[in-house]
Amino acid sequence: MALITLDIGAAFTRIQVASEPILTVASEAAYDLDHKSVKVIGAKAPEEVLRSGSKTKLVKIMRQGAPADPEAVSGFLKQALRSVGVRSFARSEVLFAATTHASQLDTASLKRCIEGLNAKPVIPLETPIAATAGIDEDVLGEVGTMTVVLGESLIEAGIVSFGKLAARATSATGVSSFRNAIRESVKTTCDLVISDEVANDILTQLIDFQRTHSGAQAKIWGRSLANGESESGVIAEDTIYAAILPSLDLVTQTVINCIAQAPNQLVTDVADRGVWLLGGGAHLSGLAGELERRLGVEVHAIPDPELAVIRGLSVIHASNPSKIYW
């Protein structure tokens, strides 16, 4: 029986078949409205929608841990598996990351999407447990390990001890929240409408969370609110930082809320050992250092933090002979 592990996120989906390399594909699909099927997945999906016009629509397959469109999710996974040479889920065991932000109904809905492709068994595993295994920590150990996964649309904090999720906190605040704040700031300050791509460039190239008063500025291009024409404007780093500060505060508060739920001994463990910042948001410049300053505990960074969850799923499966998780 082949093992397939899945980390289906709002921005990217990661798939690993047995010990093969991890496949990363954008979590969107061009959906054929006439045939009710997925035509193209990943980065090429928007191009297909532009080419096909009204016959297709662009579908983001996940929304805050829940399937946005079950049919699209199933079609997306079929195509993703074919791209790595897997023709069917049949005779496959599937282990997937289930965000603690989603309801039990949402998790069950995602599970049914996968089961509908003939996979059996299909096993959900809480994201913080997978994340803990993905940073080479002992999931079954008594010492508490705290991870913070900052993804596209969610932040998920958890403390794992004795193989259980001892404390957790989530918020619908992710990297997209920072980009949206930047777009609104540019609209107000420069009377320009900018794309998500431009907002992301500002976030990743202009902003350093530990350098908030450098006086840096950037020239940007967008569409004028007055006439719709392409125009340029200048935005200051301080202005952008002020705009994204509420989102940063929510990230911090989510971590604090998680710690507040933990027993005293686990709080001591976190104080002694620190916090691991994971997910795509961990790449934001200076974020780990700023959280460390705010929380008063060490915040660790690892290589490829966005892969911690998918790697952890395989680790859990391999080191779980007694099947304590399912």
Side-chain angles (χ1 to χ4, degrees), residues 66-278:
D69 184 323
E71 286 187 357
V73 171
S74 297
F76 176 93
L77 291 175
K78 280 183 181 179
Q79 289 210 20
L81 283 169
R82 286 173 185 161
S83 70
V84 291
V86 178
R87 306 300 299 178
S88 169
F89 270 112
R91 297 184 301 279
S92 295
E93 183 177 5
V94 177
L95 190 58
F96 72 94
T99 172
T100 56
H101 185 82
S103 68
Q104 291 184 343
L105 287 176
D106 290 334
T107 299
S109 176
L110 181 54
K111 182 179 179 181
R112 284 195 298 273
C113 289
I114 302 169
E115 288 174 335
L117 300 173
N118 297 319
K120 188 176 181 181
V122 177
I123 305 151
L125 184 68
E126 293 163 313
T127 296
I129 294 178
T132 300
I135 58 173
D136 295 326
E137 288 296 307
D138 182 8
V139 174
L140 295 175
E142 64 178 285
V143 178
T145 300
M146 183 170 190
T147 57
V148 177
V149 181
L150 180 58
E152 172 68 7
S153 62
L154 294 172
I155 177 174
E156 191 163 7
I159 301 175
V160 174
S161 176
F162 287 117
K164 302 293 184 182
L165 188 55
R168 68 182 186 186
T170 67
S171 173
T173 302
V175 177
S176 61
S177 300
F178 291 98
R179 290 199 306 270
N180 291 339
I182 289 171
R183 294 179 69 180
E184 286 301 313
S185 179
V186 170
K187 184 186 292 186
T188 302
T189 306
C190 303
D191 291 328
L192 293 176
V193 176
I194 60 172
S195 66
D196 243 17
E197 289 77 10
V198 172
N200 194 66
D201 287 343
I202 294 171
L203 178 61
T204 57
Q205 298 177 28
L206 180 63
I207 291 297
D208 184 325
F209 285 89
Q210 289 191 289
R211 191 194 67 232
T212 58
H213 302 289
S214 69
Q217 293 183 326
K219 185 176 182 179
I220 56 173
W221 288 86
R223 292 201 172 273
S224 169
L225 285 173
N227 55 33
E229 296 293 328
S230 179
E231 292 185 4
S232 66
V234 176
I235 193 77
E237 181 187 30
D238 290 353
T239 301
I240 293 299
Y241 187 83
I244 64 177
L245 189 58
S247 295
L248 178 58
D249 290 341
L250 282 171
V251 169
T252 306
Q253 191 58 51
T254 302
V255 179
I256 292 171
N257 290 346
C258 180
I259 296 172
Q261 295 177 26
N264 290 339
Q265 182 55 54
L266 295 185
V267 173
T268 300
D269 291 341
V270 172
D272 291 342
R273 307 179 70 232
V275 173
W276 278 262
L277 180 61
L278 307 170

